[in-house]
Amino acid sequence: MEQLGIEGAWVDTPRVFADSRGSFHEWFKGAAFHGSTGQEFGLAQANCSRSARGTLRGIHYAEVPPGQAKYVTCVSGAVLDVVVDIRTGSPGFGTWEAVRLDDTTHRGLYLSEGLGHAFMALEDDSTVVYLCSQPYAPQREHGINPLDPALAIDWPDGLVPLLSEKDAAAPTLEEAGRLGLLPSFEACGAYRRGLVGSV
């Protein structure tokens, strides 16, 4: 696994074994994950979403603690997957990184608790599956508008973003900060250290 520039985010490019019958790859291995990240990943929920070309989902995150870490891959089609550092007090606050996930490279993206997550479908019927460390809890879930001009995420040209009403009405990063909705870098680190200490 390769650590991204945003602390708490990694990308994994697996070895794919292909022949005339198709292909096989291991898209998540707990021991290898722990060896690369030093973190444990407790699976609480697995999600699957299918999206039309141009669909833009996110930026989503959960309150910390406990937050919701995610391990994301695209099993059909292609998406531009984006991780956003929304943790107040973080050296990288307000920065983002994009990774293409598709059914050719089979890369996976891991996001620690407290990071924002969004993706845009680059093809019709793009299917994303993701493992979550905590179950969905509506009262702890929040969003930031993925078209926030201050974030200036470089979404692909030529695609008209298709957003849910909820995502389109989400606050900007600055507004979410003023409302006290953002996780802190310190709280995220303390929670992560507590998890490691409890293993």
Side-chain angles (χ1 to χ4, degrees):
M1 295 185 73
E2 174 189 353
Q3 187 164 11
L4 297 180
I6 293 175
E7 183 179 333
W10 284 264
V11 64
D12 180 34
T13 304
R15 184 177 177 190
V16 178
F17 300 90
D19 59 25
S20 60
R21 301 168 298 162
S23 68
F24 171 85
H25 69 282
E26 297 172 335
W27 76 278
F28 180 82
K29 289 180 69 174
F33 172 84
H34 178 71
S36 296
T37 67
Q39 299 188 18
E40 298 294 333
F41 188 86
L43 176 61
Q45 183 171 322
N47 299 332
C48 178
S49 71
R50 192 175 70 164
S51 303
R53 185 173 184 264
T55 295
L56 177 51
R57 300 183 188 271
I59 304 166
H60 300 149
Y61 65 99
E63 294 174 8
V64 179
Q68 188 185 63
K70 298 176 181 175
Y71 195 95
V72 187
T73 193
C74 180
V75 296
S76 179
V79 301
L80 185 71
D81 205 285
V82 175
V83 54
V84 185
D85 193 343
I86 59 169
R87 302 165 299 185
T88 59
S90 168
F93 179 74
T95 63
W96 56 270
E97 283 194 57
V99 177
R100 179 185 168 100
L101 303 180
D102 56 42
D103 58 11
T104 302
T105 62
H106 300 287
R107 288 194 289 187
L109 178 68
Y110 172 69
L111 304 91
S112 295
E113 296 85 355
L115 293 174
H117 178 243
F119 67 85
M120 176 180 268
L122 305 178
E123 302 175 9
D124 280 331
D125 296 322
S126 291
T127 303
V128 171
V129 294
Y130 45 106
L131 309 178
C132 302
S133 65
Q134 293 288 330
Y136 175 71
Q139 71 278 11
R140 294 189 291 104
E141 301 290 328
H142 300 286
I144 293 166
N145 193 303
L147 303 178
D148 179 353
L151 285 175
I153 296 173
D154 189 16
W155 298 111
D157 292 332
L159 289 179
V160 177
L162 305 173
L163 281 76
S164 69
E165 290 183 11
K166 182 178 179 181
D167 287 348
T172 64
L173 183 64
E174 182 182 0
E175 290 167 343
R178 284 203 310 266
L179 292 169
L181 298 176
L182 299 177
S184 76
F185 187 66
E186 181 180 353
C188 292
Y191 178 72
R192 175 52 54 191
R193 287 190 297 276
L195 283 184
V196 173
S198 67
V199 173

